[in-house]
Amino acid sequence: MSQPTLEYSTKSKEAKQIVDDHVADFFYENGIPLNAINSRSWEIMFESIGQYGPGYRSPSYHEIRNPLLDRAVNKIEELRKKHEDAWKEYGCTIMSDGWTDTSHRHLINFLANSPAGTFFLGSVDASSEIANASMLADLLEKQINKVGNEYVVQIVTNNGSNYKAAGRILMERIPTLFWTPCVAHYLDLMMEDIGKIPEFSSCINSAKKVCRFLYKYGRILDLMREKIGGDLVRPAITRFATSYLTLVSMLKNKQGLRSLFMSEEWHSNSLSKSVEGRQAENIILSILFWTKVEYCIKATQPLLIAMRIADGDETSAAPKIMAAMDAAKKTIKETLRDKSSLLNDVMECYDKRWENQMEQKLYGAALFLNPGKYFAIKEKDR
């Protein structure tokens, strides 16, 4: 956002309050979702109105219904043309993303990704369809034909058995096409598997108990924030990644958390005598808990790095993901070398999800064509 101007800084609080009330009334009276205020287009709109200055009048109903809508459509068509040029020059990936909305409709979004970025192709309501492999293959093929099958290098879907079968069908229909399962989804499943290892499962469950307790009571939450200078829970792109990032945050704030549960403020609070409170205190003051946290982080931190690469929007992940997973495997083996039994359990999860299902030829080709990563791995393997 732009810096406040001198004129802005001289406005009274009362004047600002009046404007805020009008903005809020607009949302309430028209039933506009409140999270619209967090959108980038909202910021741009307000900045442009401010830069225009006094005297700006909003578009009329007719203007926003016809000429402005036409202009918006033209801008999208121009944007698509830019993407189409990139598809023809570099090829592209078709991605599908299924989800269920608040009306319980099963929707599937289709997007095309290329060096020009990601472009939304369309959405299909598949609620009345049986999501079998044949139906999914037909839906994906329609999107491929829209783009031009000579320009589509691969399709990326989730890892359900129906999508796997659809991928095989499409590769038979279009011999030049690759089907690739979603890496971020596979990594999430891998971390879910790792989280089920008994030593890690008990650690994660204990951490969840502590977090639930700390965030359940306002007084304790305020005390925690005072001790560690912020929050513990760190939302991530997937549910299981969130659990591990929370463990990282807890370890980083270990001293602050221990200080909280040893403080006079805590012991003078009635919650310190409750069952929940005593459980949380015992967990945080347990040496064994922190040892397990450290090992859990050692087993998953390299995978979180790979997940950030896989889920990044800025650059293509394909040239980097093989190198990232190779590095993750080596790092995990190195950091858990003194815990052979635990290492075997983690590597079993790794091989189950990655070695057996995600070793894609396309990733190998992308790595080979990325000399900086490829020769670094070759050098390490000597």
Side-chain angles (χ1 to χ4, degrees):
M1 294 289 284
S2 58
Q3 293 295 317
T5 63
L6 179 61
E7 181 183 1
Y8 171 87
S9 63
T10 60
K11 298 287 187 183
S12 68
K13 286 185 178 180
E14 290 77 11
K16 169 75 163 56
Q17 185 65 59
I18 290 171
V19 177
D20 286 348
D21 287 343
H22 290 325
V23 171
D25 288 343
F26 170 74
F27 274 81
Y28 306 149
E29 291 175 10
N30 294 283
I32 296 172
L34 300 184
N35 61 3
I37 207 165
N38 295 322
S39 68
R40 178 61 184 147
S41 56
W42 174 266
E43 290 184 11
I44 293 171
M45 178 186 72
F46 257 73
E47 284 190 11
S48 63
I49 292 172
Q51 289 168 7
Y52 185 93
Y56 173 76
R57 298 182 68 85
S58 74
S60 67
Y61 171 80
H62 169 74
E63 288 170 331
I64 208 163
R65 183 173 181 267
N66 289 308
L68 289 176
L69 179 59
D70 291 340
R71 277 166 54 183
V73 170
N74 290 337
K75 281 193 285 187
I76 295 297
E77 289 176 349
E78 289 172 8
L79 179 63
R80 182 183 175 104
K81 179 66 170 61
K82 184 189 80 170
H83 282 273
E84 286 176 343
D85 291 341
W87 300 341
K88 291 174 183 176
E89 184 172 357
Y90 305 108
C92 70
T93 294
I94 300 289
M95 303 180 292
S96 74
D97 178 30
W99 59 291
T100 302
D101 69 2
T102 54
S103 300
H104 304 291
R105 295 180 302 169
H106 178 56
L107 306 175
I108 305 175
N109 293 336
F110 297 98
L111 307 100
N113 180 267
S114 73
T118 302
F119 187 84
F120 178 72
L121 296 173
S123 184
V124 172
D125 183 352
S127 306
S128 60
E129 304 283 347
I130 299 174
N132 57 33
S134 179
M135 184 274 282
L136 292 170
D138 290 342
L139 285 178
L140 285 162
E141 190 170 16
K142 284 180 183 177
Q143 301 301 322
I144 292 169
N145 290 335
K146 280 184 186 177
V147 172
N149 60 22
E150 67 271 32
Y151 306 129
V152 180
V153 177
Q154 69 169 340
I155 52 171
V156 175
T157 71
N158 72 30
N159 310 301
S161 58
N162 51 351
Y163 277 98
K164 289 180 183 178
R168 287 193 292 269
I169 292 170
L170 283 170
M171 286 192 289
E172 290 174 2
R173 293 180 186 174
I174 308 171
T176 57
L177 185 71
F178 289 89
W179 169 78
T180 308
C182 175
V183 177
H185 187 205
Y186 255 115
L187 287 172
D188 192 47
L189 293 174
M190 189 188 299
M191 287 192 284
E192 180 183 4
D193 293 341
I194 291 172
K196 291 176 181 176
I197 296 172
E199 189 165 341
F200 293 157
S201 176
S202 62
C203 164
I204 292 169
N205 288 333
S206 293
K208 286 179 178 178
K209 280 183 183 178
V210 172
C211 288
R212 279 196 295 267
F213 174 73
L214 292 173
Y215 281 84
K216 186 176 179 180
Y217 301 101
R219 289 171 296 168
I220 303 302
L221 180 58
D222 289 341
L223 183 58
M224 181 205 75
R225 286 171 173 163
E226 179 187 322
K227 294 291 184 182
I228 70 173
D231 279 294
L232 276 180
V233 180
R234 296 179 57 191
I237 52 177
T238 68
R239 180 161 57 98
F240 296 102
T242 297
S243 296
Y244 294 114
L245 286 174
T246 300
L247 288 181
V248 172
S249 180
M250 290 182 76
L251 185 61
K252 178 183 175 183
N253 294 289
K254 175 182 175 180
Q255 294 308 318
L257 290 170
R258 289 173 65 87
S259 171
L260 186 159
F261 285 102
M262 291 189 291
S263 68
E264 185 178 333
E265 298 100 314
W266 164 249
H267 287 293
S268 63
N269 192 300
S270 60
L271 289 169
S272 66
K273 311 296 189 298
S274 68
V275 174
E276 286 178 297
R278 287 198 300 270
Q279 282 182 338
E281 180 181 338
N282 290 337
I283 290 169
I284 292 300
L285 299 182
S286 164
I287 295 174
L288 180 60
F289 168 72
W290 291 111
T291 301
K292 289 181 178 180
V293 168
E294 288 178 4
Y295 278 113
C296 194
I297 291 171
K298 286 178 180 179
T300 56
Q301 186 87 329
L303 299 176
L304 289 170
I305 293 171
M307 180 173 279
R308 279 196 290 270
I309 292 171
D311 203 60
D313 294 327
E314 298 301 319
T315 59
S316 172
K320 301 175 184 176
I321 195 63
M322 288 285 283
M325 292 305 292
D326 180 78
K329 188 173 185 177
K330 286 182 170 64
T331 302
I332 292 169
K333 285 183 174 181
E334 177 65 23
T335 55
L336 295 180
R337 66 184 184 278
D338 60 335
K339 299 275 285 185
S340 58
S341 176
L342 188 59
L343 175 60
N344 289 337
D345 290 340
V346 173
M347 283 297 101
E348 186 177 326
C349 297
Y350 182 100
D351 293 339
K352 171 187 170 185
R353 294 294 181 184
W354 187 262
E355 300 287 352
N356 298 338
Q357 300 186 59
M358 286 300 294
E359 286 284 1
Q360 300 290 321
K361 292 179 181 179
L362 199 61
Y363 289 147
L367 177 62
F368 182 77
L369 295 171
N370 190 7
K373 301 290 183 184
Y374 176 73
F375 286 106
I377 292 175
K378 292 285 285 184
E379 188 67 27
K380 288 178 185 175
D381 288 342
R382 281 185 176 181

